[in-house]
């Protein structure tokens, strides 16, 4: 899980740590690789995170974390997967 340090307007993100269940981390990364094949949202996030292909593995780990956050929100709110969550939030959830 990445660390985040904030102070005023400075926002620094730390390295990815190896905390938490190893099996869960492995499964999330595998899901992220598969999502790159079949999901447009995942491909868009991956392109943005990898910065042109130089940081591919780090981008997949970051994508796995984004997937985990979205899955947790779906479980918490009882909602279904939405391809463009920011578009739904901007329209007032309709």
């Amino acid at each position: 899980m990445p660390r985040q340090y904030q102070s005023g307007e400075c926002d620094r993100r730390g390295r990815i740590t190896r905390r938490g269940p190893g099996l869960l981390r492995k499964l999330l990364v595998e899901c992220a690789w598969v999502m790159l094949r079949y999901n447009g949202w995942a491909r868009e996030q991956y392109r943005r995170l990898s910065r042109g292909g130089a940081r591919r593995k780090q981008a997949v780990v970051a994508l796995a974390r984004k997937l985990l956050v979205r899955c947790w929100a779906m479980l918490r709110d009882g909602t279904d997967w939405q391809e463009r969550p920011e578009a739904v939030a901007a329209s007032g959830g309709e």
Side-chain angles (χ1 to χ4, degrees), residues 60-74:
V60 168
V61 172
L63 178 62
R65 184 178 185 284
K66 285 181 176 287
L67 174 62
L68 177 63
V69 169
R70 284 189 72 180
C71 288
W72 175 250
M74 287 169 39

Side-chain angles (χ1 to χ4, degrees), residues 30-39 41-43 67 81:
E30 286 299 319
C31 288
W33 279 115
V34 171
M35 282 184 74
L36 287 175
R37 287 179 153 181
Y38 303 108
N39 189 284
W41 171 82
R43 281 190 299 271
L67 174 62
W81 179 269

Side-chain angles (χ1 to χ4, degrees), residues 5-60:
Y5 304 99
Q6 290 181 326
S7 176
E9 295 195 15
C10 182
D11 184 15
R12 294 185 306 262
R13 300 187 189 276
R15 301 173 10 151
I16 296 171
T17 63
R18 291 192 170 128
R19 295 178 59 189
L23 182 60
L24 178 62
R25 285 195 316 270
K26 290 175 189 177
L27 290 174
L28 283 168
V29 169
E30 286 299 319
C31 288
W33 279 115
V34 171
M35 282 184 74
L36 287 175
R37 287 179 153 181
Y38 303 108
N39 189 284
W41 171 82
R43 281 190 299 271
E44 182 180 315
Q45 294 294 316
Y46 176 77
R47 263 188 239 115
R48 187 179 62 80
L49 292 165
S50 66
R51 298 181 189 158
R55 303 171 15 145
R56 292 189 340 221
K57 290 182 181 179
Q58 292 155 333
V60 168

